[in-house]
Amino acid sequence: MISRTRLQQQLADLQDITAPGKGINRLAFTDADWQGRAYLMSLMREAGMELREDAFGNVIGHVKGADEGLPAVMFGSHGDSVPEGGNFDGIVGILAAIETVRSMRENGFTSRRPLEVVLFLCEESSRFSAATLGSRAMRGELSHDDLLRLHDKEGHTLYEVLKSRHLDPDHIESARYTRPLRAFLELHIEQGKVLEHEGLPIGLVTGIAAPTRFYVNFHGSADHSGATPMNLRHDGLCAASEAVLAVEREASSYTEAPVVGTVGILQVTPGVMNVIPGEVRIGVDIRSISAEAKDAVEQAVRQDIEAIAERRQLTYDIELVSKEQPAHMDAALVDLLEETAKELAIPCCRMMSGAGHDSMHWADYAPTAMLFIPCRAGISHNPAEFAKLEDIVRGTELLSAAVRKLASD
């Protein structure tokens, strides 16, 4: 039996674990994130799991099965947040996973297969401009060079940050997960408005869109704003402004598959009123469920940037941050979730995920699926993010029932 009271109390406890500011501030590897991690680890131990940590800091809670030789069932989510975020993104999934194991123990359920509950580190891209880093480390997709290349706004490299938490970045390859899996499941808030609009408590994800992210640095000339005629200017900000609109235009005009494009970072140097902006840096995020569509828009944007720079007689360079592949969920596993939802009399629908998740890195390793629950007004990454307790409980009940089926086959 899933405990509504326990979930409510744990959500309240985690809400208190945050750095100062609006909403929830548990940026990856900060003190608040580490306190949240310690709290979640304590819950995992209380649920009877044997814990191990990898070189990146991901936490895996093991529950022995009657036959330890069988491929395990893995489920979980992440614990970090964006700056001034909400208390449900990621947290709902890991709490549901812990509650699933705890309720099994209380009900005397013995799993035939081993179970692995995973708490992923650094899912959000907010600190290092690259998402799902914990999952990537576990899948062997994070190199030592990546640790030195990725850095936060203060200039601290990911390598240095891992060292500061007494982790083992020099042996990051040891974080690679190599055990066979029967399935991977993740419960998450939708972060959109579809379920609320449809009046449904559960969404079954059939595919996850993936981002391509890159920085564009425009190198203009920082000249005097009064003494430089308009026809002799090489304004980096004007070039960047055209590029921002190009991202919007190219993503909007692609019709073969939905594509979204965003410029979420704009840094202007020297950033004073009386100097023409010389150096300007923008951060571009392009996403689609179709790799072909995403690549086509990326190439169109790159061509636009080249033309803008040539016309304005300035130079530029592009730094690729990440280029991830969209993930398709396992059809049989989605069917199992749908059948289980019907058995529990929980209405549901099938849907796509526009946001990226840890699950996307496991789809080529094991049968993978996601469950969405609604979030109010589709708001996420915001202090106003909210999910009803009844929806969290229903989602946990469905996750638990599905895990029991998979653990018994």
Side-chain angles (χ1 to χ4, degrees), residues 259-328:
V259 180
V260 294
T262 305
V263 175
I265 295 175
L266 178 63
Q267 298 170 339
V268 181
T269 303
V272 294
M273 189 75 77
N274 62 342
V275 179
I276 298 166
E279 298 290 320
V280 180
R281 179 179 175 88
I282 64 173
V284 181
D285 181 310
I286 300 170
R287 304 186 190 214
S288 178
I289 195 65
S290 164
E292 294 77 13
K294 182 162 65 80
D295 290 347
V297 171
E298 178 194 354
Q299 290 308 311
V301 169
R302 285 175 176 264
Q303 290 169 9
D304 289 338
I305 290 169
E306 183 177 3
I308 291 164
E310 183 176 353
R311 186 175 67 255
R312 290 186 171 274
Q313 298 180 14
L314 44 73
T315 60
Y316 73 95
D317 62 79
I318 294 178
E319 304 170 30
L320 182 65
V321 175
S322 62
K323 188 169 186 172
E324 301 177 26
Q325 293 300 308
H328 297 280

Side-chain angles (χ1 to χ4, degrees), residues 22-280:
K22 297 178 182 178
I24 301 299
N25 293 279
R26 288 195 297 266
L27 205 62
F29 299 108
T30 60
D31 289 346
D33 180 41
W34 224 240
Q35 291 165 19
R37 177 179 182 267
Y39 174 74
L40 290 166
M41 290 173 71
S42 72
L43 296 181
M44 293 168 82
R45 291 191 185 97
E46 287 175 13
M49 301 180 212
E50 298 175 4
L51 303 190
R52 64 185 190 276
E53 306 168 43
D54 65 24
F56 193 81
N58 297 304
V59 181
I60 301 98
H62 187 80
V63 180
K64 289 183 179 179
D67 187 346
E68 280 287 289
L70 290 174
V73 180
M74 179 182 277
F75 47 109
S77 196
H78 65 96
D80 62 316
S81 82
V82 300
E84 298 187 357
N87 196 42
F88 301 87
D89 178 3
I91 290 303
V92 164
I94 186 61
L95 289 182
I98 296 169
E99 179 62 26
T100 291
V101 169
R102 192 160 182 172
S103 67
M104 285 178 174
R105 187 181 182 188
E106 291 173 347
N107 299 156
F109 177 86
T110 300
S111 174
R112 179 168 174 255
R113 297 177 178 275
L115 306 177
E116 298 264 75
V117 172
V118 59
L119 169 60
F120 294 113
L121 274 286
C122 200
E123 190 270 353
E124 304 291 358
S125 62
S126 303
R127 185 167 186 185
F128 299 103
S129 298
T132 60
L133 292 177
S135 283
R136 288 168 59 183
M138 288 184 72
R139 292 287 290 110
E141 298 170 359
L142 200 61
S143 69
H144 190 270
D145 288 344
D146 291 327
L147 304 184
L148 296 174
R149 175 178 60 85
L150 296 170
H151 58 83
D152 61 17
K153 291 181 180 178
E154 285 72 43
H156 303 301
T157 65
L158 180 53
Y159 177 91
E160 293 168 338
V161 170
L162 293 175
K163 275 283 191 181
S164 74
R165 289 297 173 192
H166 308 292
L167 298 170
D168 193 12
D170 289 312
H171 299 93
I172 191 62
E173 68 282 353
S174 70
R176 183 169 188 162
Y177 190 90
T178 58
R179 302 184 182 192
L181 289 178
R182 167 65 181 87
F184 178 91
L185 292 172
E186 182 178 9
L187 173 66
H188 207 280
I189 59 170
E190 180 195 347
Q191 300 180 287
K193 304 176 182 179
V194 174
L195 291 176
E196 186 177 72
H197 181 266
E198 298 294 331
L200 293 171
I202 292 289
L204 306 179
V205 178
T206 56
I208 304 173
T212 290
R213 291 182 173 130
F214 54 90
Y215 288 108
V216 185
N217 301 297
F218 290 96
H219 309 295
S221 181
D223 297 317
H224 194 289
S225 65
T228 309
M230 297 301 291
N231 65 325
L232 298 180
R233 296 182 177 215
H234 306 286
D235 190 319
L237 182 55
C238 286
S241 300
E242 286 195 57
V244 171
L245 294 175
V247 171
E248 180 186 50
R249 181 180 66 252
E250 299 294 359
S252 300
S253 62
Y254 196 89
T255 57
E256 294 181 31
V259 180
V260 294
T262 305
V263 175
I265 295 175
L266 178 63
Q267 298 170 339
V268 181
T269 303
V272 294
M273 189 75 77
N274 62 342
V275 179
I276 298 166
E279 298 290 320
V280 180

